Amino acid sequence: YGDHRDLHLSIRRQRQMCIRDRASIEEELSIIDPNKLVDFDPKKVQGYINIQPITEENVTSIPVQLLNKPDDVEVFVKPNQVSLTVVGGLDAVANILPEDILVTIDFKDWNVKKQFYSPSVKIPDSISKWENLTPNNLEILVVDREEPIKEN
């Protein structure tokens, strides 16, 4: 009985040291059935916890995509690129590219009386959050193809 308790304390200390030192943990974990009413298999699983320091990075030149663009008019988003800050684990943040972030404006929201629109942002699951979208309001410019372009 004493050996089991000592082993448990040793494993607990080792896990605490790994988390404090930001080292990843990989080990076999037992699945405990709390009510004994269900039988399941396997009884153990291999577990991996990837522990990394949290960091942030400014990502620039993210293209803005226009959804539901009509065919009968020319539509432009101004500006057509944005930047934002991503927050997450060191590896995920270090490897993110502007193309990994989806920034969209839906033309269905367009109204002739409305000038600025807030885009939607979708980040990869490996990133914890985003913040500081710049600019955070974009314009949708609509030009009718039927009208000739006036020259000065």
Side-chain angles (χ1 to χ4, degrees):
Y1 181 75
D3 292 336
H4 176 71
R5 187 179 298 179
D6 292 341
L7 177 61
H8 179 71
L9 290 173
S10 173
I11 291 172
R12 180 180 283 172
R13 282 190 207 105
Q14 185 179 18
R15 285 183 182 163
Q16 289 172 345
M17 285 179 12
C18 287
I19 291 171
R20 187 180 62 239
D21 297 337
R22 291 188 170 88
S24 296
I25 301 168
E26 182 171 9
E27 63 184 67
E28 190 171 78
L29 305 168
S30 296
I31 301 174
I32 300 170
D33 181 9
N35 59 19
K36 308 283 185 202
L37 296 176
V38 178
D39 189 31
F40 55 90
D41 194 43
K43 305 280 191 230
K44 294 185 177 194
V45 294
Q46 189 68 21
Y48 178 74
I49 302 172
N50 185 356
I51 300 172
Q52 297 182 17
I54 299 295
T55 187
E56 59 182 48
E57 180 74 29
N58 191 35
V59 182
T60 60
S61 303
I62 303 166
V64 178
Q65 295 182 20
L66 182 65
L67 304 177
N68 299 306
K69 179 180 173 187
D71 293 330
D72 58 338
V73 292
E74 291 287 336
V75 182
F76 304 94
V77 177
K78 182 179 176 185
N80 63 357
Q81 294 183 340
V82 295
S83 64
L84 55 76
T85 302
V86 293
V87 180
L90 182 62
D91 290 346
V93 169
N95 293 314
I96 196 160
L97 299 171
E99 298 80 31
D100 298 332
I101 301 168
L102 182 62
V103 177
T104 60
I105 293 237
D106 195 334
F107 187 78
K108 288 181 179 179
D109 297 332
W110 182 75
N111 180 322
V112 71
K113 296 178 182 178
K114 185 175 176 184
Q115 184 175 6
F116 294 104
Y117 301 85
S118 296
S120 296
V121 178
K122 184 167 179 4
I123 55 175
D125 292 337
S126 59
I127 300 295
S128 300
K129 68 178 183 175
W130 64 270
E131 52 192 28
N132 304 327
L133 179 66
T134 306
N136 59 2
N137 285 308
L138 307 175
E139 287 184 271
I140 297 177
L141 304 174
V142 179
V143 179
D144 189 348
R145 286 186 186 167
E146 302 298 318
E147 291 182 17
I149 299 174
K150 296 180 181 178
E151 295 183 19
N152 291 342

